[in-house]
Amino acid sequence: MKRFSFSHEDVSGETIRRLVADEASGAYVAFEGWVRNHNEGQRVLRLEYEAFESLGAKEGERIIREAEQRFGISTVYCVHRLGKLEIGDLAVIVGVSTPHRGEAFEACRYIIDEVKHRVPVWKKEYYVNGDSGWVNCERCSAAAHQHDHGQD
Amino acid sequence: MITVQIEYFAILREHIGKNTEAVDTEEKTAGGLYDELAARYALPHMVHMKVAINDEFAEWDAALTEGDTIVFIPPVAGG
């Protein structure tokens, strides 16, 4: 299994914990991102993740290599879910083991922050009121709508 | 005139209604090509968009070459 990967199937924290187990490590830190039932004032029913997988996998691996160089990781895995997810599902997990705890916390934080900013993944939320929207593209959608009207 | 392959994702895929298309263009750069397509499809104006050419991030003023695969990357929202 690659250290950064996308998965169209459920991922369990226990799987990552076992993959990361390492006799040279004295510390294990994991971050799990879960699907929550609200965002920016709207009740969320479910969501869908889509990725530019080929470039995303490369960028994810680059992030992990950066973290290794900075923090001296023993073992690390990061998996990002794709496809349809329900409330409470695991959306992303980062598991890091290191000799001592400080580096594990820092590396885990670094990896999840960089993944969120740099890996080409998009999230479409479906709301209780029947609307849906691509997160971080809300204003874009509004602009497109106005533009359409302008051409009528 | 060159022909490039474009792959669309997320909001752009839905807006345009295609996953991929081959486009003949006189444009010389990735940015010029986006402007051309934005006019053709009334695409949303998005800040923090990126572009990739042949599976690597590229600059907006990067030169296009015959046969390139271009991906316009709307604002990401992983995690």
Side-chain angles (χ1 to χ4, degrees), chain A residues 61-104:
Chain A
E61 176 60 28
R62 279 194 281 257
I63 291 166
I64 285 176
R65 257 185 275 132
E66 289 164 15
E68 259 178 341
Q69 283 165 4
R70 285 176 189 223
F71 306 109
I73 295 167
S74 303
T75 313
V76 53
Y77 282 90
C78 176
V79 182
H80 201 299
R81 276 297 315 277
L82 297 179
K84 292 181 167 62
L85 279 76
E86 304 292 333
I87 304 305
D89 282 353
L90 188 156
V92 61
I93 183 163
V94 181
V96 180
S97 77
T98 59
H100 304 284
R101 67 186 181 284
E103 298 86 342

mmCIF file of all heavy atoms in Angstrom, chain A residues 61-104:
data_model
loop_
_atom_site.group_PDB
_atom_site.id
_atom_site.type_symbol
_atom_site.label_atom_id
_atom_site.label_comp_id
_atom_site.label_asym_id
_atom_site.label_seq_id
_atom_site.Cartn_x
_atom_site.Cartn_y
_atom_site.Cartn_z
ATOM 1 N N GLU A 61 2.239 12.165 -1.837
ATOM 2 C CA GLU A 61 3.549 11.547 -1.559
ATOM 3 C C GLU A 61 4.611 12.624 -1.282
ATOM 4 O O GLU A 61 5.449 12.471 -0.401
ATOM 5 C CB GLU A 61 3.953 10.643 -2.723
ATOM 6 C CG GLU A 61 5.338 10.020 -2.622
ATOM 7 C CD GLU A 61 5.550 9.127 -1.397
ATOM 8 O OE1 GLU A 61 4.563 8.549 -0.905
ATOM 9 O OE2 GLU A 61 6.711 9.028 -0.921
ATOM 10 N N ARG A 62 4.533 13.737 -2.033
ATOM 11 C CA ARG A 62 5.494 14.833 -1.797
ATOM 12 C C ARG A 62 5.326 15.395 -0.385
ATOM 13 O O ARG A 62 6.307 15.684 0.300
ATOM 14 C CB ARG A 62 5.282 15.957 -2.828
ATOM 15 C CG ARG A 62 5.924 15.681 -4.173
ATOM 16 C CD ARG A 62 5.974 16.947 -5.038
ATOM 17 N NE ARG A 62 4.715 17.236 -5.670
ATOM 18 C CZ ARG A 62 4.434 16.997 -6.963
ATOM 19 N NH1 ARG A 62 5.356 16.477 -7.758
ATOM 20 N NH2 ARG A 62 3.276 17.282 -7.470
ATOM 21 N N ILE A 63 4.085 15.537 0.053
ATOM 22 C CA ILE A 63 3.816 16.076 1.399
ATOM 23 C C ILE A 63 4.405 15.139 2.458
ATOM 24 O O ILE A 63 5.026 15.578 3.435
ATOM 25 C CB ILE A 63 2.299 16.271 1.602
ATOM 26 C CG1 ILE A 63 1.799 17.416 0.723
ATOM 27 C CG2 ILE A 63 1.964 16.515 3.067
ATOM 28 C CD1 ILE A 63 0.288 17.493 0.575
ATOM 29 N N ILE A 64 4.215 13.840 2.247
ATOM 30 C CA ILE A 64 4.740 12.873 3.216
ATOM 31 C C ILE A 64 6.271 12.923 3.260
ATOM 32 O O ILE A 64 6.879 12.875 4.330
ATOM 33 C CB ILE A 64 4.198 11.469 2.901
ATOM 34 C CG1 ILE A 64 2.732 11.408 3.355
ATOM 35 C CG2 ILE A 64 5.036 10.385 3.566
ATOM 36 C CD1 ILE A 64 2.016 10.135 3.039
ATOM 37 N N ARG A 65 6.877 13.065 2.087
ATOM 38 C CA ARG A 65 8.360 13.164 2.070
ATOM 39 C C ARG A 65 8.834 14.422 2.797
ATOM 40 O O ARG A 65 9.828 14.399 3.522
ATOM 41 C CB ARG A 65 8.878 13.150 0.628
ATOM 42 C CG ARG A 65 9.471 11.787 0.258
ATOM 43 C CD ARG A 65 10.100 11.793 -1.122
ATOM 44 N NE ARG A 65 9.070 11.543 -2.122
ATOM 45 C CZ ARG A 65 8.874 12.241 -3.229
ATOM 46 N NH1 ARG A 65 9.659 13.263 -3.521
ATOM 47 N NH2 ARG A 65 7.917 11.928 -4.070
ATOM 48 N N GLU A 66 8.122 15.529 2.610
ATOM 49 C CA GLU A 66 8.478 16.768 3.327
ATOM 50 C C GLU A 66 8.401 16.546 4.835
ATOM 51 O O GLU A 66 9.277 16.974 5.587
ATOM 52 C CB GLU A 66 7.516 17.901 2.939
ATOM 53 C CG GLU A 66 7.692 18.419 1.527
ATOM 54 C CD GLU A 66 6.497 19.236 1.044
ATOM 55 O OE1 GLU A 66 5.659 19.638 1.890
ATOM 56 O OE2 GLU A 66 6.396 19.456 -0.172
ATOM 57 N N ALA A 67 7.319 15.887 5.264
ATOM 58 C CA ALA A 67 7.139 15.652 6.708
ATOM 59 C C ALA A 67 8.254 14.757 7.244
ATOM 60 O O ALA A 67 8.764 14.981 8.347
ATOM 61 C CB ALA A 67 5.767 15.019 6.957
ATOM 62 N N GLU A 68 8.632 13.763 6.460
ATOM 63 C CA GLU A 68 9.725 12.874 6.875
ATOM 64 C C GLU A 68 11.016 13.647 7.093
ATOM 65 O O GLU A 68 11.732 13.441 8.074
ATOM 66 C CB GLU A 68 9.998 11.858 5.765
ATOM 67 C CG GLU A 68 9.405 10.521 6.006
ATOM 68 C CD GLU A 68 9.695 9.591 4.839
ATOM 69 O OE1 GLU A 68 10.029 10.041 3.722
ATOM 70 O OE2 GLU A 68 9.567 8.405 5.065
ATOM 71 N N GLN A 69 11.313 14.542 6.129
ATOM 72 C CA GLN A 69 12.550 15.313 6.224
ATOM 73 C C GLN A 69 12.528 16.250 7.428
ATOM 74 O O GLN A 69 13.522 16.425 8.105
ATOM 75 C CB GLN A 69 12.772 16.110 4.935
ATOM 76 C CG GLN A 69 13.288 15.217 3.812
ATOM 77 C CD GLN A 69 13.185 15.873 2.452
ATOM 78 O OE1 GLN A 69 12.800 17.039 2.346
ATOM 79 N NE2 GLN A 69 13.526 15.142 1.407
ATOM 80 N N ARG A 70 11.371 16.849 7.686
ATOM 81 C CA ARG A 70 11.294 17.820 8.785
ATOM 82 C C ARG A 70 11.252 17.176 10.156
ATOM 83 O O ARG A 70 11.791 17.711 11.114
ATOM 84 C CB ARG A 70 10.009 18.644 8.659
ATOM 85 C CG ARG A 70 10.061 19.668 7.574
ATOM 86 C CD ARG A 70 8.707 20.337 7.475
ATOM 87 N NE ARG A 70 8.678 21.171 6.295
ATOM 88 C CZ ARG A 70 8.175 22.393 6.251
ATOM 89 N NH1 ARG A 70 7.637 22.920 7.333
ATOM 90 N NH2 ARG A 70 8.195 23.080 5.152
ATOM 91 N N PHE A 71 10.539 16.048 10.270
ATOM 92 C CA PHE A 71 10.208 15.553 11.605
ATOM 93 C C PHE A 71 10.802 14.184 11.947
ATOM 94 O O PHE A 71 10.653 13.720 13.071
ATOM 95 C CB PHE A 71 8.685 15.501 11.783
ATOM 96 C CG PHE A 71 8.004 16.807 11.482
ATOM 97 C CD1 PHE A 71 7.228 16.954 10.351
ATOM 98 C CD2 PHE A 71 8.153 17.908 12.333
ATOM 99 C CE1 PHE A 71 6.597 18.166 10.062
ATOM 100 C CE2 PHE A 71 7.537 19.113 12.054
ATOM 101 C CZ PHE A 71 6.757 19.251 10.914
ATOM 102 N N GLY A 72 11.447 13.514 10.990
ATOM 103 C CA GLY A 72 12.046 12.228 11.306
ATOM 104 C C GLY A 72 11.037 11.154 11.681
ATOM 105 O O GLY A 72 11.049 10.593 12.769
ATOM 106 N N ILE A 73 10.123 10.905 10.754
ATOM 107 C CA ILE A 73 9.053 9.926 10.986
ATOM 108 C C ILE A 73 9.590 8.508 10.825
ATOM 109 O O ILE A 73 10.439 8.255 9.978
ATOM 110 C CB ILE A 73 7.935 10.161 9.954
ATOM 111 C CG1 ILE A 73 7.290 11.521 10.180
ATOM 112 C CG2 ILE A 73 6.908 9.050 9.986
ATOM 113 C CD1 ILE A 73 6.404 11.954 9.031
ATOM 114 N N SER A 74 9.060 7.560 11.611
ATOM 115 C CA SER A 74 9.368 6.150 11.376
ATOM 116 C C SER A 74 8.470 5.614 10.267
ATOM 117 O O SER A 74 8.942 5.103 9.263
ATOM 118 C CB SER A 74 9.146 5.315 12.634
ATOM 119 O OG SER A 74 9.930 5.823 13.680
ATOM 120 N N THR A 75 7.169 5.721 10.475
ATOM 121 C CA THR A 75 6.227 5.188 9.487
ATOM 122 C C THR A 75 5.016 6.107 9.400
ATOM 123 O O THR A 75 4.578 6.675 10.405
ATOM 124 C CB THR A 75 5.736 3.777 9.892
ATOM 125 O OG1 THR A 75 6.871 3.000 10.265
ATOM 126 C CG2 THR A 75 5.026 3.095 8.745
ATOM 127 N N VAL A 76 4.468 6.235 8.208
ATOM 128 C CA VAL A 76 3.320 7.120 8.025
ATOM 129 C C VAL A 76 2.440 6.592 6.896
ATOM 130 O O VAL A 76 2.949 6.099 5.882
ATOM 131 C CB VAL A 76 3.779 8.567 7.722
ATOM 132 C CG1 VAL A 76 4.741 8.620 6.560
ATOM 133 C CG2 VAL A 76 2.597 9.491 7.456
ATOM 134 N N TYR A 77 1.122 6.704 7.107
ATOM 135 C CA TYR A 77 0.156 6.439 6.045
ATOM 136 C C TYR A 77 -0.936 7.494 6.098
ATOM 137 O O TYR A 77 -1.316 7.959 7.188
ATOM 138 C CB TYR A 77 -0.503 5.050 6.202
ATOM 139 C CG TYR A 77 0.401 3.934 5.740
ATOM 140 C CD1 TYR A 77 1.270 3.318 6.631
ATOM 141 C CD2 TYR A 77 0.406 3.535 4.412
ATOM 142 C CE1 TYR A 77 2.126 2.313 6.212
ATOM 143 C CE2 TYR A 77 1.262 2.522 3.979
ATOM 144 C CZ TYR A 77 2.111 1.928 4.883
ATOM 145 O OH TYR A 77 2.953 0.941 4.451
ATOM 146 N N CYS A 78 -1.397 7.884 4.912
ATOM 147 C CA CYS A 78 -2.519 8.811 4.814
ATOM 148 C C CYS A 78 -3.454 8.289 3.734
ATOM 149 O O CYS A 78 -3.008 7.978 2.630
ATOM 150 C CB CYS A 78 -2.024 10.216 4.454
ATOM 151 S SG CYS A 78 -3.357 11.408 4.203
ATOM 152 N N VAL A 79 -4.739 8.192 4.067
ATOM 153 C CA VAL A 79 -5.740 7.738 3.092
ATOM 154 C C VAL A 79 -6.869 8.755 3.048
ATOM 155 O O VAL A 79 -7.373 9.176 4.096
ATOM 156 C CB VAL A 79 -6.327 6.360 3.464
ATOM 157 C CG1 VAL A 79 -7.321 5.897 2.390
ATOM 158 C CG2 VAL A 79 -5.225 5.330 3.657
ATOM 159 N N HIS A 80 -7.255 9.151 1.840
ATOM 160 C CA HIS A 80 -8.387 10.060 1.661
ATOM 161 C C HIS A 80 -9.498 9.304 0.951
ATOM 162 O O HIS A 80 -9.269 8.696 -0.075
ATOM 163 C CB HIS A 80 -7.970 11.288 0.844
ATOM 164 C CG HIS A 80 -8.886 12.457 1.051
ATOM 165 N ND1 HIS A 80 -10.228 12.408 0.741
ATOM 166 C CD2 HIS A 80 -8.662 13.690 1.567
ATOM 167 C CE1 HIS A 80 -10.777 13.576 1.054
ATOM 168 N NE2 HIS A 80 -9.864 14.370 1.554
ATOM 169 N N ARG A 81 -10.689 9.330 1.526
ATOM 170 C CA ARG A 81 -11.841 8.680 0.903
ATOM 171 C C ARG A 81 -12.325 9.458 -0.307
ATOM 172 O O ARG A 81 -12.251 10.680 -0.344
ATOM 173 C CB ARG A 81 -13.009 8.596 1.915
ATOM 174 C CG ARG A 81 -12.997 7.423 2.875
ATOM 175 C CD ARG A 81 -13.117 6.093 2.165
ATOM 176 N NE ARG A 81 -14.139 6.072 1.124
ATOM 177 C CZ ARG A 81 -15.439 5.860 1.311
ATOM 178 N NH1 ARG A 81 -15.899 5.632 2.524
ATOM 179 N NH2 ARG A 81 -16.291 5.871 0.302
ATOM 180 N N LEU A 82 -12.868 8.747 -1.271
ATOM 181 C CA LEU A 82 -13.546 9.358 -2.416
ATOM 182 C C LEU A 82 -14.910 8.703 -2.568
ATOM 183 O O LEU A 82 -15.147 7.612 -2.044
ATOM 184 C CB LEU A 82 -12.732 9.164 -3.702
ATOM 185 C CG LEU A 82 -11.350 9.812 -3.736
ATOM 186 C CD1 LEU A 82 -10.665 9.510 -5.062
ATOM 187 C CD2 LEU A 82 -11.437 11.325 -3.520
ATOM 188 N N GLY A 83 -15.793 9.371 -3.301
ATOM 189 C CA GLY A 83 -17.128 8.830 -3.545
ATOM 190 C C GLY A 83 -18.131 9.353 -2.535
ATOM 191 O O GLY A 83 -17.936 10.406 -1.937
ATOM 192 N N LYS A 84 -19.231 8.602 -2.383
ATOM 193 C CA LYS A 84 -20.342 9.048 -1.523
ATOM 194 C C LYS A 84 -20.065 8.684 -0.068
ATOM 195 O O LYS A 84 -19.741 7.542 0.243
ATOM 196 C CB LYS A 84 -21.633 8.362 -1.962
ATOM 197 C CG LYS A 84 -22.133 8.806 -3.318
ATOM 198 C CD LYS A 84 -23.438 8.097 -3.663
ATOM 199 C CE LYS A 84 -24.141 8.729 -4.843
ATOM 200 N NZ LYS A 84 -23.369 8.677 -6.105
ATOM 201 N N LEU A 85 -20.197 9.664 0.817
ATOM 202 C CA LEU A 85 -19.996 9.435 2.252
ATOM 203 C C LEU A 85 -21.206 9.910 3.036
ATOM 204 O O LEU A 85 -21.874 10.868 2.638
ATOM 205 C CB LEU A 85 -18.740 10.166 2.757
ATOM 206 C CG LEU A 85 -17.395 9.467 2.515
ATOM 207 C CD1 LEU A 85 -16.951 9.596 1.078
ATOM 208 C CD2 LEU A 85 -16.333 10.041 3.442
ATOM 209 N N GLU A 86 -21.462 9.224 4.146
ATOM 210 C CA GLU A 86 -22.581 9.574 5.024
ATOM 211 C C GLU A 86 -22.037 10.276 6.272
ATOM 212 O O GLU A 86 -20.835 10.192 6.571
ATOM 213 C CB GLU A 86 -23.322 8.303 5.447
ATOM 214 C CG GLU A 86 -23.813 7.441 4.283
ATOM 215 C CD GLU A 86 -24.932 8.091 3.480
ATOM 216 O OE1 GLU A 86 -25.675 8.913 4.056
ATOM 217 O OE2 GLU A 86 -25.045 7.784 2.282
ATOM 218 N N ILE A 87 -22.946 10.926 6.992
ATOM 219 C CA ILE A 87 -22.565 11.597 8.240
ATOM 220 C C ILE A 87 -21.859 10.596 9.160
ATOM 221 O O ILE A 87 -22.325 9.471 9.333
ATOM 222 C CB ILE A 87 -23.814 12.160 8.958
ATOM 223 C CG1 ILE A 87 -24.601 13.097 8.040
ATOM 224 C CG2 ILE A 87 -23.426 12.859 10.257
ATOM 225 C CD1 ILE A 87 -23.810 14.230 7.456
ATOM 226 N N GLY A 88 -20.751 11.014 9.731
ATOM 227 C CA GLY A 88 -20.003 10.161 10.659
ATOM 228 C C GLY A 88 -18.945 9.301 9.991
ATOM 229 O O GLY A 88 -18.080 8.743 10.670
ATOM 230 N N ASP A 89 -18.998 9.193 8.658
ATOM 231 C CA ASP A 89 -17.974 8.390 7.973
ATOM 232 C C ASP A 89 -16.593 9.028 8.108
ATOM 233 O O ASP A 89 -16.469 10.252 8.199
ATOM 234 C CB ASP A 89 -18.293 8.265 6.475
ATOM 235 C CG ASP A 89 -19.380 7.245 6.184
ATOM 236 O OD1 ASP A 89 -19.798 6.542 7.122
ATOM 237 O OD2 ASP A 89 -19.800 7.167 5.013
ATOM 238 N N LEU A 90 -15.597 8.184 8.054
ATOM 239 C CA LEU A 90 -14.220 8.674 8.052
ATOM 240 C C LEU A 90 -13.889 9.184 6.640
ATOM 241 O O LEU A 90 -14.004 8.445 5.662
ATOM 242 C CB LEU A 90 -13.284 7.529 8.439
ATOM 243 C CG LEU A 90 -11.819 7.854 8.690
ATOM 244 C CD1 LEU A 90 -11.217 6.795 9.601
ATOM 245 C CD2 LEU A 90 -11.033 7.914 7.385
ATOM 246 N N ALA A 91 -13.496 10.460 6.560
ATOM 247 C CA ALA A 91 -13.210 11.083 5.262
ATOM 248 C C ALA A 91 -11.721 11.058 4.940
ATOM 249 O O ALA A 91 -11.330 10.945 3.785
ATOM 250 C CB ALA A 91 -13.704 12.530 5.265
ATOM 251 N N VAL A 92 -10.910 11.207 5.974
ATOM 252 C CA VAL A 92 -9.453 11.214 5.771
ATOM 253 C C VAL A 92 -8.799 10.737 7.060
ATOM 254 O O VAL A 92 -9.317 10.981 8.155
ATOM 255 C CB VAL A 92 -8.951 12.624 5.371
ATOM 256 C CG1 VAL A 92 -9.251 13.658 6.446
ATOM 257 C CG2 VAL A 92 -7.459 12.629 5.040
ATOM 258 N N ILE A 93 -7.693 10.023 6.917
ATOM 259 C CA ILE A 93 -6.937 9.614 8.101
ATOM 260 C C ILE A 93 -5.448 9.774 7.832
ATOM 261 O O ILE A 93 -4.964 9.475 6.735
ATOM 262 C CB ILE A 93 -7.269 8.172 8.534
ATOM 263 C CG1 ILE A 93 -6.498 7.810 9.821
ATOM 264 C CG2 ILE A 93 -7.009 7.155 7.420
ATOM 265 C CD1 ILE A 93 -7.047 6.592 10.544
ATOM 266 N N VAL A 94 -4.749 10.288 8.838
ATOM 267 C CA VAL A 94 -3.290 10.362 8.818
ATOM 268 C C VAL A 94 -2.809 9.619 10.061
ATOM 269 O O VAL A 94 -3.264 9.913 11.170
ATOM 270 C CB VAL A 94 -2.784 11.816 8.915
ATOM 271 C CG1 VAL A 94 -1.251 11.850 8.857
ATOM 272 C CG2 VAL A 94 -3.379 12.691 7.834
ATOM 273 N N GLY A 95 -1.931 8.653 9.890
ATOM 274 C CA GLY A 95 -1.352 7.949 11.027
ATOM 275 C C GLY A 95 0.162 8.043 10.958
ATOM 276 O O GLY A 95 0.754 7.755 9.919
ATOM 277 N N VAL A 96 0.776 8.480 12.047
ATOM 278 C CA VAL A 96 2.221 8.706 12.066
ATOM 279 C C VAL A 96 2.828 8.044 13.296
ATOM 280 O O VAL A 96 2.332 8.233 14.404
ATOM 281 C CB VAL A 96 2.531 10.222 12.170
ATOM 282 C CG1 VAL A 96 4.035 10.461 12.198
ATOM 283 C CG2 VAL A 96 1.898 10.999 11.041
ATOM 284 N N SER A 97 3.890 7.284 13.098
ATOM 285 C CA SER A 97 4.631 6.805 14.264
ATOM 286 C C SER A 97 6.053 7.332 14.210
ATOM 287 O O SER A 97 6.644 7.469 13.136
ATOM 288 C CB SER A 97 4.608 5.275 14.354
ATOM 289 O OG SER A 97 5.498 4.707 13.433
ATOM 290 N N THR A 98 6.573 7.683 15.392
ATOM 291 C CA THR A 98 7.913 8.265 15.518
ATOM 292 C C THR A 98 8.542 7.749 16.816
ATOM 293 O O THR A 98 7.844 7.222 17.684
ATOM 294 C CB THR A 98 7.839 9.813 15.615
ATOM 295 O OG1 THR A 98 7.050 10.144 16.744
ATOM 296 C CG2 THR A 98 7.229 10.440 14.378
ATOM 297 N N PRO A 99 9.852 7.927 16.962
ATOM 298 C CA PRO A 99 10.482 7.489 18.213
ATOM 299 C C PRO A 99 9.882 8.168 19.440
ATOM 300 O O PRO A 99 9.665 7.530 20.462
ATOM 301 C CB PRO A 99 11.953 7.888 18.020
ATOM 302 C CG PRO A 99 12.153 7.871 16.534
ATOM 303 C CD PRO A 99 10.842 8.354 15.962
ATOM 304 N N HIS A 100 9.622 9.490 19.348
ATOM 305 C CA HIS A 100 9.093 10.242 20.493
ATOM 306 C C HIS A 100 7.838 11.015 20.093
ATOM 307 O O HIS A 100 7.642 11.304 18.923
ATOM 308 C CB HIS A 100 10.155 11.207 21.022
ATOM 309 C CG HIS A 100 11.425 10.512 21.397
ATOM 310 N ND1 HIS A 100 11.557 9.778 22.551
ATOM 311 C CD2 HIS A 100 12.600 10.398 20.729
ATOM 312 C CE1 HIS A 100 12.776 9.251 22.596
ATOM 313 N NE2 HIS A 100 13.418 9.606 21.495
ATOM 314 N N ARG A 101 7.013 11.400 21.077
ATOM 315 C CA ARG A 101 5.680 11.908 20.771
ATOM 316 C C ARG A 101 5.658 13.273 20.067
ATOM 317 O O ARG A 101 4.764 13.541 19.272
ATOM 318 C CB ARG A 101 4.827 11.975 22.038
ATOM 319 C CG ARG A 101 5.293 13.004 23.058
ATOM 320 C CD ARG A 101 4.497 12.924 24.346
ATOM 321 N NE ARG A 101 4.919 13.913 25.321
ATOM 322 C CZ ARG A 101 6.039 13.832 26.057
ATOM 323 N NH1 ARG A 101 6.865 12.813 25.892
ATOM 324 N NH2 ARG A 101 6.351 14.783 26.925
ATOM 325 N N GLY A 102 6.620 14.137 20.380
ATOM 326 C CA GLY A 102 6.587 15.499 19.834
ATOM 327 C C GLY A 102 6.520 15.512 18.314
ATOM 328 O O GLY A 102 5.678 16.181 17.710
ATOM 329 N N GLU A 103 7.399 14.740 17.700
ATOM 330 C CA GLU A 103 7.463 14.701 16.240
ATOM 331 C C GLU A 103 6.195 14.093 15.646
ATOM 332 O O GLU A 103 5.771 14.466 14.550
ATOM 333 C CB GLU A 103 8.664 13.869 15.765
ATOM 334 C CG GLU A 103 10.017 14.416 16.196
ATOM 335 C CD GLU A 103 10.435 13.938 17.582
ATOM 336 O OE1 GLU A 103 9.563 13.467 18.347
ATOM 337 O OE2 GLU A 103 11.629 14.046 17.897
ATOM 338 N N ALA A 104 5.584 13.147 16.349
ATOM 339 C CA ALA A 104 4.383 12.501 15.820
ATOM 340 C C ALA A 104 3.234 13.515 15.738
ATOM 341 O O ALA A 104 2.529 13.595 14.730
ATOM 342 C CB ALA A 104 3.981 11.318 16.701
#
